[in-house]
Amino acid sequence: MLALGCDHGGYELKQEIKKYLDEKGIAYLDFGCDSTEAVDYPVYAKKVARSILSGECEKGILICGTGIGISITANKFKGIRAALCTDCFCAEATRLHNDANVLALGGRVVGPGLAQKIVDTFLNTPFSGEERHRNRIDQMETE
Ligand code: RB5
């Protein structure tokens, strides 16, 4: 199950992504927000992070205007690895190397066509599982 969350700056792009996921038959839970009315992105970042840490969802997509505030918030949670991606190279690399479990996007940064390809890459690239990458991911969790 995929968790979706956004603020007002990411609402329109989230709607586009939902259309795409529906077409592909990919199941998701939408944790809001539900309009372009101004809201606070941490609320939605936290809902998505908690759904992943509880095991309800496996991965998430978070969208705010830039993708920055919402990814910073999600990354405060131990076990969440949120990657802000503006291209497919980074989306692929963050799955292969960082085993990222959240994709962050900027609704005011990427258009729907590019976002679709980034989502596709993120969802279809497995973690490499290589020891050096596992070791680095383990090191993220300690200060
Ligand atoms: C909201 O205006 C904007 O600050 C937010 O969507 C995001 O870009 C924050 O990082």
Side-chain angles (χ1 to χ4, degrees):
M1 185 63 71
L2 185 63
L4 303 182
C6 70
D7 75 353
H8 52 291
Y11 176 74
E12 280 169 8
L13 183 58
K14 186 180 72 177
Q15 295 308 101
E16 293 290 336
I17 288 172
K18 280 167 67 172
K19 249 191 270 169
Y20 179 67
L21 296 173
D22 288 339
E23 278 166 25
K24 292 269 176 189
I26 298 170
Y28 57 81
L29 283 177
D30 184 355
F31 290 89
C33 68
D34 302 312
S35 76
T36 53
E37 191 180 321
V39 292
D40 299 326
Y41 56 78
V43 171
Y44 304 94
K46 290 177 185 183
K47 285 177 194 273
V48 166
R50 288 180 184 132
S51 80
I52 294 170
L53 295 176
S54 73
E56 184 181 25
C57 293
E58 188 196 333
K59 289 196 184 84
I61 299 177
L62 284 171
I63 315 169
C64 65
T66 57
I68 296 172
I70 212 157
S71 57
I72 290 174
T73 311
N75 278 320
K76 300 281 180 194
F77 287 74
K78 197 174 164 66
I80 295 295
R81 293 176 300 281
L84 172 55
C85 296
T86 53
D87 59 68
C88 294
F89 179 84
C90 289
E92 183 182 45
T94 198
R95 288 290 309 129
L96 289 170
H97 295 194
N98 315 127
D99 195 17
N101 49 14
V102 173
L103 169 66
L105 294 168
R108 297 173 183 153
V109 181
V110 292
L114 175 58
Q116 206 174 82
K117 289 209 177 297
I118 293 172
V119 167
D120 223 30
T121 305
F122 182 80
L123 296 180
N124 292 310
T125 305
F127 174 47
S128 71
E130 288 172 31
E131 191 52 37
R132 69 183 195 283
H133 294 309
R134 283 191 194 284
N135 180 37
R136 289 167 189 157
I137 291 166
D138 287 346
Q139 290 181 52
M140 289 178 190
E141 300 294 352
T142 54
E143 288 190 12

